[in-house]
Amino acid sequence: QVQLVESGGGLVQAGGSLRLSCAASGGTFSNYGMTWFRQAPGLEREFVATISWNGGSTVFADSVKGRFTISRDNAKNTMSLEMNNLKPEDTAVYYCAADVKSGYGTKFLDQYDYWGQGTQVTVSS
């Protein structure tokens, strides 16, 4: 069983920055592709970014490309999302997810069995 806990969300003005963290326990973190999703009220969760098991490969949604950076520290069982130049449309609950079936995550929700509880990011204008 894998448990994931996000932290670092909050309120920030447009143009500002936040860094989110995801702490994992259980399982073997270094084997998993890890992915960030986000969800606004009433909408489906959408893909944000993913990172491979060793951090060697990353993929970003077009909406955040060039502004967000994803990283992981397998020695500490953590993954991070650095968000820069935030926009009001980035407002959402951000979730981390673990793909225990593969070392490379995908954008498809159904591939993930383990999710964190989410952390709220609010960007004001």
Side-chain angles (χ1 to χ4, degrees), residues 47-115:
F47 169 79
V48 177
T50 191
I51 186 167
S52 63
W53 65 279
N54 64 348
S57 298
T58 59
V59 179
F60 297 89
D62 289 343
S63 59
V64 306
K65 194 172 300 181
R67 299 188 296 121
F68 290 12
T69 300
I70 190 170
S71 61
R72 67 190 296 159
D73 185 342
N74 286 346
K76 298 181 178 180
N77 290 348
T78 59
M79 176 182 65
S80 296
L81 183 70
E82 182 179 352
M83 305 182 294
N84 300 307
N85 191 25
L86 283 161
K87 304 175 180 180
E89 51 263 45
D90 295 318
T91 295
V93 177
Y94 283 71
Y95 298 89
C96 66
D99 185 356
V100 301
K101 307 178 188 69
S102 174
Y104 294 82
T106 77
K107 65 180 181 180
F108 299 107
L109 294 170
D110 289 346
Q111 188 167 335
Y112 298 88
D113 294 321
Y114 299 99
W115 297 83

Side-chain angles (χ1 to χ4, degrees), residues 19-56:
R19 180 175 295 186
L20 307 183
S21 294
C22 174
S25 61
T28 305
F29 178 78
S30 60
N31 287 348
Y32 309 147
M34 296 294 298
T35 305
W36 288 98
F37 292 84
R38 65 187 183 186
Q39 185 173 21
L43 301 179
E44 295 290 333
R45 293 183 189 184
E46 66 175 357
F47 169 79
V48 177
T50 191
I51 186 167
S52 63
W53 65 279
N54 64 348

